[in-house]
């Protein structure tokens, strides 16, 4: 049950991140820089998947808001990653509205619903997700799948935290991430190895 490609290398920094945020809230600018360094790579990857080459500009806007509202944040390291992802998402959606960009919907989503769900392909697909090519592929997923994959894998949020960012039920986000990763595994040329992965994933159809 507990597998599913959780980004342990991101979560390993959660203690350091929580401590840095607490110090930053007390006015320690160097600590804010530490928090930025720990969060920015994942946040930028998430935004690249949403807005492409405008990610840096949107991230800058998001960090201005994060710095302004830092005193209102309550929580630990994982909570801070979720909070910053929520702010970044709002800035990205504002940006897309201004650009009048409509997210592409993929008609192929239905094709994935009847396939067996091998969790064993996830780790292989995730290994490739740091590349620009893979982020382009993520942008081609249906919006719910793209955001779920980016939040779980690139930002490093757990299921409930990703669900809070998206305003959805955890089960729906888990399903979307699962379907998105399965499609990415195919597009990245990863062989699908059937195992005892969960088969009851139709709850958000």
């Amino acid at each position: 049950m507990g597998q599913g490609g959780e980004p342990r290398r991101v979560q390993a920094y959660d203690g350091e991140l929580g401590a840095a945020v607490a110090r930053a809230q007390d006015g320690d600018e160097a600590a804010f820089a530490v928090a930025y360094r720990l969060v920015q790579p994942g946040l930028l990857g998430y935004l690249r998947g949403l807005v492409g080459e405008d990610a840096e500009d949107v991230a800058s806007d998001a960090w201005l808001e994060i710095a302004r509202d830092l005193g209102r944040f309550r929580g630990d390291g994982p909570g801070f990653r979720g909070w910053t992802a929520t702010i970044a998402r709002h800035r990205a959606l504002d940006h897309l509205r201004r650009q009048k960009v409509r997210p592409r919907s993929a008609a192929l989503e239905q094709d994935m619903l009847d396939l067996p769900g091998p969790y064993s392909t996830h780790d292989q697909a995730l290994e490739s997700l740091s590349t620009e090519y893979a982020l382009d592929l993520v942008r081609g997923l249906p919006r719910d799948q793209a955001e779920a994959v980016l939040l779980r894998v690139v930002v490093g949020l757990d299921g409930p935290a990703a669900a809070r960012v998206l305003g959805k039920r955890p089960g729906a986000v888990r399903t979307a991430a699962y379907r998105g990763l399965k499609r990415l595994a195919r597009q990245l040329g990863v062989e699908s190895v059937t195992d005892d992965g969960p088969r009851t994933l139709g709850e958000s159809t």
Side-chain angles (χ1 to χ4, degrees):
M1 288 278 293
Q3 54 181 29
E6 284 300 314
R8 280 180 292 277
R9 65 186 176 280
V10 173
Q11 293 172 344
Y13 297 122
D14 280 347
E16 183 184 352
L17 177 58
V21 170
R23 291 197 310 275
Q25 288 180 311
D26 288 335
D28 185 336
E29 290 183 18
F32 186 82
V34 170
Y36 174 88
R37 177 173 53 78
L38 291 173
V39 170
Q40 172 70 350
L43 210 60
L44 201 54
Y46 175 48
L47 289 170
R48 279 203 187 105
L50 293 181
V51 301
E53 61 190 24
D54 294 329
E56 296 269 5
D57 291 341
V58 174
S60 296
D61 289 344
W63 279 105
L64 286 173
E65 186 173 337
I66 290 162
R68 186 193 72 205
D69 294 343
L70 185 64
R72 292 208 289 251
F73 170 73
R74 297 288 177 271
D76 55 7
F80 186 72
R81 280 194 281 115
W83 183 68
T84 55
T86 300
I87 290 173
R89 180 174 192 262
H90 290 157
R91 297 286 69 76
L93 296 179
D94 287 347
H95 176 82
L96 291 174
R97 275 192 288 271
R98 283 196 304 272
Q99 300 293 316
K100 294 185 167 58
V101 173
R102 290 286 167 265
R104 289 180 301 202
S105 66
L108 294 174
E109 180 179 9
Q110 203 61 35
D111 296 348
M112 304 305 298
L113 300 186
D114 300 323
L115 296 176
Y119 257 74
S120 57
T121 63
H122 286 197
D123 288 340
Q124 294 160 282
L126 305 190
E127 286 304 310
S128 307
L129 270 181
S130 58
T131 66
E132 292 295 325
Y133 170 66
L135 285 171
D136 284 343
L137 289 180
V138 171
R139 293 190 76 201
L141 293 173
R143 168 59 70 86
D144 65 327
Q145 294 181 14
E147 289 210 68
V149 169
L150 290 165
L151 288 170
R152 295 295 304 275
V153 177
V154 181
V155 180
L157 301 184
D158 64 17
R164 282 194 295 275
V165 172
L166 297 174
K168 296 184 176 181
R169 292 177 297 112
V173 174
R174 191 165 52 244
T175 299
Y178 174 79
R179 290 178 183 159
L181 286 169
K182 190 159 55 172
R183 275 182 70 179
L184 287 173
R186 281 178 53 183
Q187 290 173 312
L188 292 167
V190 176
E191 278 301 313
S192 178
V193 182
T194 49
D195 62 9
D196 295 325
R199 306 297 173 109
T200 53
L201 289 170
E203 61 186 289
S204 67
T205 7

